[in-house]
Amino acid sequence: MSLIVQKFGGTSVADVEKIKNVARRVAESKKRTDHIVVVVSALGKTTDELVDLAHRVSPVPPEREMDMLLSTGEQISTALLAMALAELGQDAVSMTGQQVEILTDTGHTKAKIRHVGADRVVHELRKGRVVVVAGFQGVTSDGEITTLGRGGSDTTAVAIAAALHADCCEIYTDVDGVFNADPRLVPGARKLEAVSFMEMLEMAATGARVLQSRSVEYARNYGVPLHVRSSFHPGEGTWVKSEDDVMEKAIISAVTHDFSEAKVTVLGVPDQPGVAARLFGMLADANTNVDMIIQNVSDHARTDISFTVPKDDLERVRKVTDEVVRSVGAQGCTYDDDIAKVSLIGAGMRSHPGVAAGMFKTLADNQINIEMISTSPIKISCVVGRGDGEKAVRALHKHFGLDKQ
Ligand code: ASP
Ligand code: MG
């Protein structure tokens, strides 16, 4: 029995013609595959428009109501796609996250999937139907509608693929696959044939926008192979799979960038146990994802702590840090949203020394000042001024030979 989950993003279903195109592709696949589950995002920029609408009504909308609003986008696209499939003579049924039983925690607007029921999906598949599932949404055990964070349809697709033990999860998108840099910034960017889950996870976490980080985490945990490919032509895209299955092992796989973060520095924090725990505990309670964290050497029993957060969370972060400054007796706080994070990712860096030195030298040769550095075994990230962002990405791509076959 073959079973494939296919996910189509917002740009792939942006208008009626595109919806019909997706329906044709799905119907074609159904001829070759026993069972197909399709997960769709909201049409085009619908989610952005809904977010904008909410903010025109209320500057800080209640998150529960935000989820009620945002989840409507995917309900529209699933129904339309199911209709388009029926029009082609392919029996299909659309389902909401609740109908599928995508159970999540209560973290409104960025909920995490706890369990996927999918009994009804299996039941419908057995009737020969294509099941079209609304991406990005779930339901709590109390019956409250939640959403999974922007780009969350990827995670819906992977979670369903894992629950149904699908052969693979195909992520259809408006680009040809995963590139070793953003082609809009780097003309010589190349499409990757295959990349490991770990590398993709680092890429997604450092700004590559093709896949939501959480979906890659989920795929890795459940061993679901992903195939990121174009929704407009049948060519092969990029496979994301376990490291052992990736044939070509490069030292550096990609350069990524993220221009959406801001840097926060808490100045003159008393150098005592418990202060960092307090600060980051409060940020966690405010449901904020903190990225890089750097604490300086303490001088006169005080130290500075810098970290980065999504620019969109800055208002919430400000409230927390203001309170922390007051309660722990820190000297103040600075905020800088004019930064860029550029990162090098590659599984081969574990066994090849000199990658960090090469990165810093390339930035230095281009007169680019480094404000923060952080590393993982397969990643090096530098924060630089926003004005140097593009230049840094292009220089690193060239220095590490990523423009060559
Ligand atoms: N429609 C949602 C968003 O725009 C989910 C998705 O596209 O995956 O973020
Ligand atoms: Mg999307």
Side-chain angles (χ1 to χ4, degrees):
M1 271 294 180
S2 50
L3 193 162
I4 292 179
V5 176
Q6 301 186 322
K7 181 254 168 179
F8 291 88
T11 45
S12 307
V13 290
D15 56 41
V16 169
E17 267 325 300
K18 288 186 175 143
I19 293 171
K20 288 182 177 172
N21 172 54
V22 168
R24 277 191 294 272
R25 274 205 87 148
V26 171
E28 271 305 308
S29 308
K30 181 70 180 78
K31 290 182 188 146
R32 295 186 302 267
T33 314
D34 299 317
H35 299 304
I36 303 260
V37 176
V38 182
V39 173
V40 271
S41 298
L43 309 189
K45 299 237 169 293
T46 305
T47 311
D48 290 333
E49 285 158 16
L50 292 172
V51 170
D52 184 57
L53 197 57
H55 285 125
R56 277 163 46 206
V57 173
S58 156
V60 190
E63 292 187 323
R64 177 194 183 273
E65 303 311 329
M66 207 57 189
D67 280 349
M68 288 295 282
L69 179 70
L70 297 188
S71 59
T72 61
E74 272 70 12
Q75 205 168 327
I76 295 172
S77 50
T78 42
L80 291 172
L81 182 58
M83 289 175 197
L85 282 162
E87 197 56 35
L88 295 175
Q90 172 59 56
D91 204 5
V93 57
S94 65
M95 282 192 193
T96 62
Q98 183 158 21
Q99 287 171 323
V100 173
E101 274 185 68
I102 297 177
L103 289 180
T104 71
D105 63 13
T106 56
H108 281 291
T109 77
K110 36 183 113 154
K112 290 203 177 79
I113 296 178
R114 290 276 174 256
H115 178 74
V116 177
D119 288 353
R120 253 184 98 175
V121 174
V122 172
H123 186 69
E124 295 295 342
L125 289 174
R126 288 209 178 113
K127 292 186 206 161
R129 290 179 167 162
V130 166
V131 180
V132 186
V133 176
F136 175 57
Q137 53 178 263
V139 64
T140 68
S141 53
D142 293 334
E144 293 281 37
I145 292 176
T146 52
T147 61
L148 310 178
R150 297 306 305 270
S153 301
D154 294 338
T155 304
T156 305
V158 176
I160 290 178
L164 298 176
H165 305 286
D167 300 312
C168 74
C169 180
E170 298 181 330
I171 308 281
Y172 287 88
T173 175
D174 56 342
V175 291
D176 288 352
V178 180
F179 283 72
N180 64 7
D182 186 338
R184 284 167 302 186
L185 238 68
V186 185
R190 290 197 304 116
K191 188 183 81 186
L192 295 162
E193 244 169 65
V195 64
S196 69
F197 288 128
M198 277 312 287
E199 288 171 309
M200 193 65 233
L201 205 51
E202 293 283 15
M203 288 172 70
T206 54
R209 302 214 170 271
V210 260
L211 290 169
Q212 197 200 32
S213 303
R214 209 175 273 163
S215 71
V216 186
E217 225 165 73
Y218 217 104
R220 185 197 52 180
N221 292 347
Y222 291 88
V224 179
L226 305 179
H227 187 187
V228 181
R229 58 193 306 189
S230 167
S231 52
F232 304 121
H233 66 74
E236 280 274 305
T238 302
W239 282 91
V240 187
K241 45 195 184 180
S242 69
E243 199 172 324
D244 294 341
D245 298 336
V246 176
M247 302 299 282
E248 184 198 359
K249 292 194 172 59
I251 300 176
I252 304 299
S253 294
V255 184
T256 57
H257 67 274
D258 191 344
F259 298 159
S260 69
E261 293 191 345
K263 182 171 87 170
V264 181
T265 304
V266 187
L267 299 160
V269 179
D271 193 12
Q272 289 159 4
V275 174
R278 174 103 151 254
L279 168 61
F280 293 103
M282 285 168 79
L283 288 167
D285 291 344
N287 208 7
T288 302
N289 285 320
V290 175
D291 182 24
M292 292 167 114
I293 301 175
I294 287 175
Q295 178 177 317
N296 290 333
V297 183
S298 116
D299 189 19
H300 306 299
R302 287 189 178 265
T303 179
D304 298 339
I305 298 178
S306 295
F307 54 93
T308 60
V309 293
K311 265 183 212 169
D312 292 346
D313 286 352
L314 204 52
E315 278 316 303
R316 245 175 323 137
V317 169
R318 243 181 238 271
K319 285 199 193 111
V320 173
T321 44
D322 284 351
E323 201 186 320
V324 170
V325 166
R326 245 179 292 121
S327 67
V328 306
Q331 287 164 338
C333 210
T334 60
Y335 304 91
D336 181 1
D337 62 7
D338 206 28
I339 61 164
K341 182 176 72 173
V342 293
S343 310
L344 273 185
I345 288 103
M349 118 180 19
R350 279 189 296 235
S351 48
H352 285 79
V355 173
M359 180 174 193
F360 305 152
K361 172 122 190 354
T362 306
L363 296 175
D365 289 348
N366 284 276
Q367 316 298 323
I368 297 168
N369 186 43
I370 302 171
E371 296 178 26
M372 293 170 95
I373 300 169
S374 83
T375 62
S376 85
I378 64 164
K379 175 206 73 182
I380 307 169
S381 297
C382 293
V383 168
V384 301
R386 173 64 187 86
D388 287 329
E390 282 88 351
K391 187 165 76 169
V393 173
R394 288 190 197 111
L396 292 168
H397 192 263
K398 186 155 190 294
H399 178 82
F400 288 96
L402 296 176
D403 48 346
K404 307 204 175 70
Q405 278 300 333

